[in-house]
Amino acid sequence: DKVLPELIEPYELRAAKLREFLEDVKPSLCYDIVPLADPFGPSVTDPDLQCLVVSEETHRGGEAVNRKRLENGLPELALYEIQLVKDPDHSQNEEEKISSSSLRQRLLGTLLQPPRQNPALPLRPYVIGLTGGTGSGKTSMAKLLGHLGAFVIDADQLGHAVYVPGGPAHEPVVAAFGAEILNKDGTINRKVLGAKVFGNQEQLKRLTDIVWPEIAQMVKERVREADAQG
């Protein structure tokens, strides 16, 4: 069962753990663990493969593999289907099978690890860092915390603020990337700037080295403001 800390581990670590498990179960077999860059991986190109293990849910995927193999002039694989184990204690909104998805749902709202006590840190203001990818629910969580009385600091908004004329990053960014990134009114054209940095790690680091410390400083000022407001 995979829970969040395992899902976000680097591939190399997950592959090493899988190899350790497999070799512990049956050390006499030779295991070749490969990353999948597409839904099929080597299953549709390796002529030495003879069998594919599928579940009730992935049987159709196995059939798709065989169709691809036939297109590639390879013999079909024998499909060995394993049965899914039913979960007798699943709740109404959970899957009937024993599933790591259900386990992750049950863990929602629990701590990954207990808070670490650090005597060097003041007890207040208590700062929560809210992060995640696009569409992960940051805005909704920030609104919820705000309704509960939290002082919400939006780093995205501060990120825009550092770029405006008179903002702390405006002049250093123009000096680093040239006047061609400016609009006629003196504001930074973020599309033009973005075209210069995205896909170029060196230029992107050059930009973040200017902008991120300024955003961090603005966040610290907002934290002090929140503390002053109680």
Side-chain angles (χ1 to χ4, degrees):
D1 285 343
K2 296 177 288 295
V3 290
L4 182 60
E6 295 160 326
L7 286 172
I8 61 177
E9 284 176 344
Y11 166 78
E12 291 77 12
L13 180 57
R14 293 183 67 181
K17 286 183 176 180
L18 175 60
R19 180 176 296 282
E20 183 182 4
F21 169 75
L22 293 171
E23 291 177 347
D24 184 49
V25 172
K26 196 157 189 176
S28 61
L29 292 180
C30 178
Y31 299 100
D32 185 18
I33 300 171
V34 296
L36 299 182
D38 60 66
F40 297 105
S43 66
V44 296
T45 56
D46 190 338
D48 296 327
L49 295 181
Q50 298 176 345
C51 173
L52 184 64
V53 179
V54 296
S55 72
E56 298 171 58
E57 291 181 331
T58 60
H59 195 107
R60 290 175 64 185
E63 292 171 346
V65 165
N66 275 336
R67 287 195 295 273
K68 281 280 187 182
R69 284 181 69 86
L70 290 174
E71 289 174 15
N72 293 338
L74 297 173
E76 289 186 323
L77 298 176
L79 300 182
Y80 179 81
E81 183 179 301
I82 56 173
Q83 302 300 305
L84 296 172
V85 179
K86 302 298 182 183
D87 182 0
D89 300 317
H90 70 89
S91 67
Q92 190 172 358
N93 65 334
E94 291 177 340
E95 297 174 294
E96 288 188 4
K97 63 175 182 178
I98 290 180
S99 164
S100 56
S101 299
S102 297
L103 179 59
R104 289 194 292 275
Q105 282 187 331
R106 292 169 195 170
L107 287 172
L108 285 175
T110 62
L111 293 172
L112 293 177
Q113 58 187 24
R116 293 186 295 266
Q117 297 298 321
N118 186 342
L121 293 176
L123 291 176
R124 51 173 298 178
Y126 190 80
V127 180
I128 299 170
L130 186 59
T131 186
T134 303
S136 61
K138 298 187 298 295
T139 302
S140 299
M141 284 304 301
K143 285 181 180 177
L144 177 61
L145 290 168
H147 289 319
L148 293 172
F151 184 104
V152 178
I153 302 167
D154 189 330
D156 283 341
Q157 289 180 358
L158 299 183
H160 287 283
V162 298
Y163 284 101
V164 299
H170 185 271
E171 286 189 18
V173 169
V174 174
F177 294 95
E180 65 266 25
I181 67 170
L182 290 175
N183 294 313
K184 289 181 180 179
D185 61 1
T187 58
I188 290 175
N189 186 319
R190 294 169 69 92
K191 285 186 178 179
V192 175
L193 178 60
K196 284 176 172 280
V197 299
F198 292 118
N200 185 324
Q201 288 299 316
E202 186 179 327
Q203 290 288 74
L204 182 59
K205 185 178 186 305
R206 192 179 178 197
L207 177 63
T208 56
D209 283 349
I210 297 170
V211 173
W212 285 357
E214 298 295 350
I215 296 175
Q217 185 59 37
M218 294 176 83
V219 168
K220 289 176 183 175
E221 290 170 6
R222 299 297 193 281
V223 171
R224 285 194 289 270
E225 182 185 337
D227 189 28
Q229 292 184 17

